[in-house]
Amino acid sequence: MAMLLESMMRHAIRRGSLDVITHDGKRFRTGDGTGPDLAIRFTDAAAQRALLRNPDLALGELYMLGRLVVEDGSVADVLDLMLGNLHGRPYPAASRARARVRKLVRQWRQMNRGARSRRNVAHHYDLDRRLYDLFLDADRQYSCAYFEHPGQSLDDAQMAKKRHITAKLAVEPGHRVLDIGCGWGGLGLYLAEQAGADVTGITLSEEQLAIARGRAQERHLDRHVDFRLEDYRNTRGNFDRIVSVGMFEHVGVGFYETYFQQSARLLAPDGVMLMHTIGRIDGPGSNNPWVEKYIFPGGYIPAMSEITASIERSGLIVTDVEVLRLHYAETLKAWRERFMARREEAAALYDEAFVRMWEFYLAGSEASFRCGDIVVFQVQLAKRIETLPITRGYIAEREQDLRRREAVPLRLAGE
Amino acid sequence: MAMLLESMMRHAIRRGSLDVITHDGKRFRTGDGTGPDLAIRFTDAAAQRALLRNPDLALGELYMLGRLVVEDGSVADVLDLMLGNLHGRPYPAASRARARVRKLVRQWRQMNRGARSRRNVAHHYDLDRRLYDLFLDADRQYSCAYFEHPGQSLDDAQMAKKRHITAKLAVEPGHRVLDIGCGWGGLGLYLAEQAGADVTGITLSEEQLAIARGRAQERHLDRHVDFRLEDYRNTRGNFDRIVSVGMFEHVGVGFYETYFQQSARLLAPDGVMLMHTIGRIDGPGSNNPWVEKYIFPGGYIPAMSEITASIERSGLIVTDVEVLRLHYAETLKAWRERFMARREEAAALYDEAFVRMWEFYLAGSEASFRCGDIVVFQVQLAKRIETLPITRGYIAEREQDLRRREAVPLRLAGE
């Protein structure tokens, strides 16, 4: 069994190096001996067996439970090494039959009808609000920031993200904007304050809703921002702009057409939509089972071909696709560093296993973005070919305008 | 039969108005009576029957043959009216079986292996060089221009296109650049002259090759630019950059994976590719039969979902997608106006039927872009996530640099 483990680990690590200490104290080195010293240790034989049986699920579980211990380096370093080695291997061309079966399984797992969607959302977003305070920026932006230059702070990069999205939406004062998956309300408040929009933000998380509403009241924006507990499938009305950031990952492949058709119904004829989602680069695939079980039940990271196929059937037109590479790796790095600096507080809120789970989630996600398996797609959509300017120059111009506006005092309520 | 024609025309034209004069002199008005006065006339009863039987093919054929005559307005106005009416109707959700059959037919028609590709290319691009002189810009750019501002001249907008593409490729001096489908060589010459690249340009048109080579010699660039008669599937080597403008439309759906896999093979690990193609917005479809028969045999306009699905299997990463809307409508308008101003010369080269065919092709294409059925996709690709800057700012910066460089005298041969 130890031989099997050694063979598996040697297969997994070719470049860089990782020492493995088995439960009975034996030690072997994998990889080519380059890179920093990293070592992991198994506390028991059953842990080694579990990793062999189902590595994708067990790696995270064993780390959470403290049965796989990182002795030298951090779990982030280990995951970066492992995913870096995995990446760049030839993509296995799945047979059509296998691909079909995989698609069915995926659709079943992601049957995110109303009640299940709410349960899935509660699993993650109804966690104690103090947890999110430990690692997010001051505005609680729980999605990929936009780093305009190296070394930009997380808070500035999250502000830049809101500005970039607002610019791409070409929002005008008085526009009715729908924010599908509004989170704690930061983007909605920005759209109202800086662009003069009338915002409807919808979420399925009661925790998020309570905080978002509280913030709108505090900032005297409740006449311009309406946060609601609502499933996007139940929304009615007509909106000049629709924005949806980090929500599409929860829609489920079986509902992509529903999502875009519903968006097309809600969008005014001259409307513009911006959909911001994590995306996979190597085509339709399946979820990581550990992430599915512990972090995002019902979630799925879409390929561009899956997104565009659904859009083409909706009556919407893709007018621009920006592919944000590495921005999320930087965001997750910042989150992890902030979280680890306050890990005692997290442990006091939950327990050590939770802290390791969260660390593993942040580190694993960062490694996936770093090695280029996943990226972020910002897909801009319209209904009419002539809705937006024909070159992209307006985006930078509007960002410049917004930057100036951010510098002056905010309007009072009712203004 | 006249009743059938009237019913068909009334169904086709709801907004705007078009008078129809039948072969026996009867006249009826279709549409809602708004818009400019337009009238068409059939010269014989068989022409009316042909249109009823197969409107997509017959409309162009009858116009070519002078059996459908435009009495008031131009054929461009009539096509704009017809396509504008067609557009915006609900997209019929094809059954899976029908979609599969359509896909098979499409693949068969586009079995563009070597010999057939050469024949298809010769059909269009080996036409008399004097024909293209009648309507293209001075640099013979036979693809969508990039209009930076309204009213920009065709020549300036074609220069802006070359600059825009060069900027997106992030070309450095000494880079080996492969231009797949190099046409008459304009882009390759620009890349060598303005960006200092060593260019290999391939085409399947002997006419294009001869002109491209002549231009390279005239400009003393033959040490830096190598134009060849070569199928992209036969190209060998390793290139820092690959560019392909207006060629993907001739690849054929059955060869999309071949195309991107071959590109991945030819591209250096830190390489960048830019693929510029006409695209359809409403998903996989079929060719217009008239265009297929008279203008571009073996051609096909791809949907974004078709392109991205093939890229995902190739090992390349989509790093950016710009959707150029209306730029090609403006380009085609300019081409048609130039062509019509010199229609006597075209008729002297060929005959009246050819001139009407060409007019119909330019006018029909413009109307398709104008109503938003088709657009242009500029798809930027890389192999590594970290190859390009993480924001788009470099594109405008490089355009600015290129603009400055264009203003100074060109280097001498051998410099």
Side-chain angles (χ1 to χ4, degrees), chain B residues 109-114 116-117 120 233 250-252 255 298-299:
Chain B
R109 284 219 185 118
Q110 299 164 38
M111 259 305 159
N112 298 328
R113 300 199 192 285
R116 198 192 285 185
S117 291
N120 289 342
R233 286 160 291 201
H250 302 293
V251 167
F255 289 94

Side-chain angles (χ1 to χ4, degrees), chain A residues 146-221:
Chain A
Y146 179 68
F147 289 88
E148 296 168 304
H149 52 79
Q152 191 170 29
S153 74
L154 178 65
D155 278 82
D156 284 357
Q158 290 292 12
M159 180 60 93
K161 186 255 306 280
K162 288 176 277 184
R163 190 187 303 128
H164 197 51
I165 288 173
T166 303
K168 283 186 175 183
L169 282 168
V171 178
E172 299 296 334
H175 267 170
R176 295 152 300 170
V177 180
L178 173 65
D179 182 358
I180 303 179
C182 64
W184 293 280
L187 178 60
L189 296 172
Y190 181 91
L191 285 161
E193 270 176 351
Q194 306 299 345
D198 281 309
V199 179
T200 303
I202 61 173
T203 175
L204 290 178
S205 161
E206 300 195 15
E207 275 289 320
Q208 290 186 328
L209 179 72
I211 292 176
R213 282 190 171 161
R215 295 175 72 195
Q217 273 164 9
E218 266 170 39
R219 285 149 91 163
H220 304 293
L221 281 166

Side-chain angles (χ1 to χ4, degrees), chain A residues 146-147 281-284 303-305 308-309 312 317-323 325 327 372 375 385 388-392, chain B residues 146-147 281-284 303-305 308-309 312 318-323 325 327 372 375 385 388-392:
Chain A
Y146 179 68
F147 289 88
I281 62 149
D282 60 355
M304 203 186 285
S305 61
T308 49
E312 287 160 3
I317 304 167
V318 176
T319 52
D320 191 60
V321 184
E322 183 164 7
V323 181
R325 294 148 287 125
H327 291 269
V375 295
I385 209 78
L388 288 156
I390 67 170
T391 67
R392 288 166 168 176
Chain B
Y146 179 68
F147 289 87
I281 61 149
D282 59 355
M304 202 186 285
S305 60
T308 50
E312 287 160 5
V318 175
T319 51
D320 191 61
V321 184
E322 183 164 5
V323 181
R325 294 149 286 125
H327 291 269
V375 295
I385 209 78
L388 288 156
I390 66 170
T391 66
R392 289 167 168 174

Side-chain angles (χ1 to χ4, degrees), chain A residues 87 91 96 103 146-149 164 168 280-284 303-306 308-309 311-313 315-327 330 369-375 377-378 380 383-392 394-395, chain B residues 87 91 96 103 146-149 164 168 280-284 303-306 308-309 311-313 315-327 330 369-375 377-378 380 383-392 394-395:
Chain A
H87 191 67
Y91 180 71
R96 274 158 199 270
K103 190 168 175 190
Y146 179 68
F147 289 88
E148 296 168 304
H149 52 79
H164 197 51
K168 283 186 175 183
R280 62 180 70 216
I281 62 149
D282 60 355
M304 203 186 285
S305 61
E306 293 175 296
T308 49
I311 293 170
E312 287 160 3
R313 285 188 279 262
L316 295 169
I317 304 167
V318 176
T319 52
D320 191 60
V321 184
E322 183 164 7
V323 181
L324 297 173
R325 294 148 287 125
L326 295 172
H327 291 269
E330 292 305 314
F369 281 102
R370 190 79 63 191
C371 77
D373 279 342
I374 49 177
V375 295
F377 302 138
Q378 280 194 344
Q380 188 196 47
K383 282 184 159 174
R384 288 185 181 153
I385 209 78
E386 65 273 22
T387 293
L388 288 156
I390 67 170
T391 67
R392 288 166 168 176
Y394 70 95
I395 301 174
Chain B
H87 191 67
Y91 180 70
R96 273 158 201 271
K103 190 169 175 189
Y146 179 68
F147 289 87
E148 296 168 304
H149 52 79
H164 197 51
K168 283 186 177 185
R280 62 181 68 215
I281 61 149
D282 59 355
M304 202 186 285
S305 60
E306 294 175 295
T308 50
I311 293 170
E312 287 160 5
R313 285 188 279 262
L316 295 169
I317 305 167
V318 175
T319 51
D320 191 61
V321 184
E322 183 164 5
V323 181
L324 296 173
R325 294 149 286 125
L326 296 172
H327 291 269
E330 291 307 312
F369 281 101
R370 191 79 62 194
C371 76
D373 279 341
I374 51 178
V375 295
F377 302 137
Q378 280 194 344
Q380 187 197 47
K383 281 184 161 175
R384 289 185 181 153
I385 209 78
E386 64 274 22
T387 294
L388 288 156
I390 66 170
T391 66
R392 289 167 168 174
Y394 69 96
I395 301 174

Side-chain angles (χ1 to χ4, degrees), chain B residues 5 8 11 14 24 57 68 114 120 134 142 151 156 190 209 214 224 237 248 253 256 311 319 332 349 366 383:
Chain B
L5 179 71
M8 178 202 192
H11 182 76
R14 308 266 171 125
D24 48 4
L57 179 63
L68 184 155
N120 289 342
L134 297 181
Y142 193 27
D156 285 356
Y190 180 90
L209 179 72
H224 295 285
F248 194 77
V253 273
Y256 285 1
I311 293 170
T319 51
L332 284 152
L349 279 174
E366 179 188 343
K383 281 184 161 175

